[in-house]
Amino acid sequence: MVLSVSERTFTKEVLESQVPVLVNFEAPWCGLCHIIKPLLLQFKSQCGEEIKLVEVNADDNFKLSTTYRLKTLPTLLLIQNGIVRKRLEGFRGREDFFAALSEIKDSYTNLPRTYNSTERRLKATTL
């Protein structure tokens, strides 16, 4: 299951997340959005807890759609520490989509990890 995020919960669930977040901007009328959803779930199961997957209904969350300048749906954003690290849109087929997901996985596994405050304290006390 994918966590649905709204303008109200976006900051907490995405921008303040301790792990990278793959945000799927979609809409109920978008046929391609329905097609890629099972592929995203498969990708999430492969990644486990290393990445969070959320969806945003672009129609119901106009401010987010405007903030992230959506031009097409679906649009995927990889966000880490509140910063958009990768933007994916305009898929031309299944292979193209899988290549894009592979690129996302490579990009977030090469990013420096952040520590929450407890981990920082533990690290500081062990030095």
Side-chain angles (χ1 to χ4, degrees):
M1 187 167 164
V2 178
L3 177 64
S4 267
V5 176
S6 67
E7 291 166 355
R8 209 180 83 236
T9 59
F10 192 83
T11 298
K12 180 179 185 276
E13 294 295 338
V14 177
L15 300 179
E16 295 174 353
S17 176
Q18 295 296 314
V19 296
V21 182
L22 183 58
V23 182
N24 176 25
F25 283 94
E26 50 88 42
W29 51 263
C30 172
L32 187 54
C33 298
H34 294 291
I35 291 170
I36 70 162
K37 196 171 210 171
L39 303 174
L40 286 171
L41 291 172
Q42 180 183 359
F43 174 74
K44 170 63 175 128
S45 71
Q46 293 170 355
C47 296
E49 299 300 315
E50 295 178 11
I51 194 167
K52 183 192 281 189
L53 176 62
V54 301
E55 65 185 11
V56 175
N57 183 320
D59 291 341
D60 293 342
N61 296 282
F62 187 72
K63 285 182 184 177
L64 289 174
S65 299
T66 303
T67 299
Y68 291 100
R69 300 176 186 200
L70 300 186
K71 297 177 186 166
T72 185
L73 293 178
T75 294
L76 301 174
L77 301 178
L78 178 66
I79 299 178
Q80 184 183 31
N81 298 327
I83 300 168
V84 176
R85 303 287 183 178
K86 199 82 175 149
R87 180 184 190 99
L88 301 168
E89 53 192 3
F91 305 107
R92 293 178 294 276
R94 183 179 282 247
E95 292 79 24
D96 185 41
F97 184 68
F98 282 132
L101 290 179
S102 178
E103 194 175 313
I104 281 180
K105 189 172 183 179
D106 291 344
S107 69
Y108 82 76
T109 54
N110 294 327
L111 293 174
R113 303 265 185 218
T114 59
Y115 298 100
N116 64 31
S117 58
T118 304
E119 290 175 51
R120 276 192 217 120
R121 283 193 303 268
L122 288 173
K123 189 173 182 182
T125 59
T126 58
L127 294 178

